């Protein structure tokens, strides 16, 4: 289900932004360093990417303006979420690229004996991705969590779908589940049904679910539900979390960003309306 408008605010109280008057600017900024060698060659270290958003909002009513100023001055406390209608995959870029991380960051993480690596995968089932996670040292009840450090707010009706491409080298059973949170406190989650992966081919697991009423953030989880043989592994690529009751084509993530208001410049064309130039920084 595509969201036809930009949603902004604290998780649990997302509101539509007034329709932008001009093109929305989304500058994806690379963080890292560029190192120049003596012979002139360059090495680029990439630490991550974050978006900078710019909106021109015209003729805001007093109530619309007061809402934005309350966010800017943190009269309404953050953190704040921005839902981008141009990006249906609500996982972070890191999670959508299946990049390993830890529990407090964006991406994939696991605990216990199992481990995650990030490898090139030339047989990728999607055209825009050639890297994925290799999940090794598997045991019954091993798990991978997706974006535990960047929870995604559900829509008002709670309908969402998690999907991911998996490839196993032997018959391994897996089950999806959803960790749910209300104001940062974990609540009863949503469990899916275990399936046995086909051997040696990519399989797209799809899990439609409904977040419980009052949920302000969700994080998908993938569980091993059988006892894998020694040395077995699962490859993971193109995870996706989206609004709606069915999975659509896999796409790059970044649809749900945690942001702060950097600047909020205001002019009043005529009483009582105000124009706002709003700049948001992904954090």
């Amino acid at each position: 289900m595509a969201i036809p408008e930009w949603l902004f605010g604290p998780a649990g109280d997302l509101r539509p932004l007034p329709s932008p008057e001009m093109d929305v600017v989304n500058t994806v900024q690379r963080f890292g360093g560029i190192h120049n060698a003596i012979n002139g060659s360059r090495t680029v270290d990439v630490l991550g990417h974050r978006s900078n958003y710019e909106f021109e909002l015209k003729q805001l009513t007093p109530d619309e303006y007061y809402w934005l100023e309350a966010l800017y001055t943190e009269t309404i406390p953050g953190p704040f979420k921005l839902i981008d209608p141009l990006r249906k995959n609500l996982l972070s870029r890191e999670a959508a690229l299946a990049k390993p991380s830890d529990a407090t960051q964006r991406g994939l993480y696991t605990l216990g004996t199992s481990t995650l690596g990030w490898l090139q995968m030339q047989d990728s089932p999607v055209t825009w991705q050639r890297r994925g996670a290799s999940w090794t040292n598997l045991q019954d009840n091993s798990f991978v969590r997706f974006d535990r450090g960047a929870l995604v707010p559900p829509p008002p009706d709670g309908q969402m779908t998690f999907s991911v491409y998996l490839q196993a080298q032997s018959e391994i059973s897996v089950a999806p589940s959803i960790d749910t949170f209300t104001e940062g406190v974990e609540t009863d989650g949503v469990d899916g049904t275990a399936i046995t992966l086909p051997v040696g081919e990519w399989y797209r697991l799809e899990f439609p679910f409904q977040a419980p009423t009052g949920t302000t953030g969700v994080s998908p989880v993938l569980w091993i539900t059988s006892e894998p043989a020694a040395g077995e592994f699962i490859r993971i690529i193109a995870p996706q979390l989206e609004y709606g009751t069915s999975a659509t084509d896999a796409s790059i993530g970044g649809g749900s960003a945690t942001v702060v208001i950097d600047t909020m410049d205001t002019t009043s064309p005529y009483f009582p309306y105000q124009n706002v130039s709003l700049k948001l920084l992904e954090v």
Side-chain angles (χ1 to χ4, degrees), residues 8-61:
F8 179 46
D13 192 14
L14 295 173
R15 302 187 186 184
L17 278 175
S19 297
E21 183 73 14
M22 300 171 62
D23 296 339
V24 175
V25 177
N26 176 6
T27 303
V28 180
Q29 184 176 358
R30 182 189 68 220
F31 290 88
I34 300 177
H35 310 284
N36 297 319
I38 295 176
N39 63 1
S41 63
R42 294 174 177 173
T43 301
V44 179
D45 293 330
V46 179
L47 301 179
H49 298 84
R50 295 292 184 269
S51 286
N52 303 326
Y53 303 90
E54 297 178 29
F55 298 87
E56 294 292 334
L57 309 175
K58 302 295 185 181
Q59 299 182 23
L60 271 61
T61 65

Side-chain angles (χ1 to χ4, degrees), residues 194-216:
I195 59 100
T196 299
L197 298 176
V199 177
E201 60 185 67
W202 287 107
Y203 173 83
R204 194 181 193 196
L205 182 149
E206 301 180 6
F207 178 38
F209 66 93
Q210 182 165 12
T213 301
T215 298
T216 57

Side-chain angles (χ1 to χ4, degrees), residues 19-211:
S19 297
E21 183 73 14
M22 300 171 62
D23 296 339
V24 175
V25 177
N26 176 6
T27 303
V28 180
Q29 184 176 358
R30 182 189 68 220
F31 290 88
I34 300 177
H35 310 284
N36 297 319
I38 295 176
N39 63 1
S41 63
R42 294 174 177 173
T43 301
V44 179
D45 293 330
V46 179
L47 301 179
H49 298 84
R50 295 292 184 269
S51 286
N52 303 326
Y53 303 90
E54 297 178 29
F55 298 87
E56 294 292 334
L57 309 175
K58 302 295 185 181
Q59 299 182 23
L60 271 61
T61 65
D63 284 345
E64 290 172 332
Y65 176 81
Y66 295 155
W67 166 253
L68 289 178
E69 185 172 300
L71 300 181
Y72 182 48
T73 59
E74 297 195 12
T75 304
I76 298 174
F80 304 129
K81 287 287 188 176
L82 181 70
I83 305 299
D84 183 345
L86 303 175
R87 292 174 178 264
K88 61 185 177 181
N89 191 348
L90 301 170
L91 293 175
S92 67
R93 292 183 185 86
E94 292 84 352
L97 294 174
K99 292 183 70 172
S101 184
D102 61 45
T104 63
Q105 303 295 323
R106 312 158 197 244
L108 280 57
Y109 97 99
T110 187
L111 288 176
T113 61
S114 67
T115 58
L116 289 167
W118 201 46
L119 307 175
Q120 292 192 29
M121 298 183 181
Q122 297 302 326
D123 62 340
S124 168
V126 295
T127 59
W128 50 268
Q129 188 169 351
R130 291 291 183 270
R131 282 184 173 179
S134 178
W135 188 15
T136 59
N137 298 323
L138 304 177
Q139 293 183 347
D140 189 12
N141 286 328
S142 293
F143 66 85
V144 168
R145 286 192 163 96
F146 299 76
D147 269 351
R148 181 65 172 235
L151 302 178
V152 176
D157 66 3
Q159 296 289 341
M160 305 182 77
T161 298
F162 170 63
S163 59
V164 60
Y165 283 96
L166 305 169
Q167 186 188 88
Q169 307 310 308
S170 66
E171 290 189 353
I172 300 176
S173 295
V174 299
S177 69
I178 304 296
D179 287 344
T180 59
F181 298 79
T182 298
E183 303 297 337
V185 178
E186 188 166 2
T187 57
D188 292 338
V190 183
D191 294 329
T193 303
I195 59 100
T196 299
L197 298 176
V199 177
E201 60 185 67
W202 287 107
Y203 173 83
R204 194 181 193 196
L205 182 149
E206 301 180 6
F207 178 38
F209 66 93
Q210 182 165 12

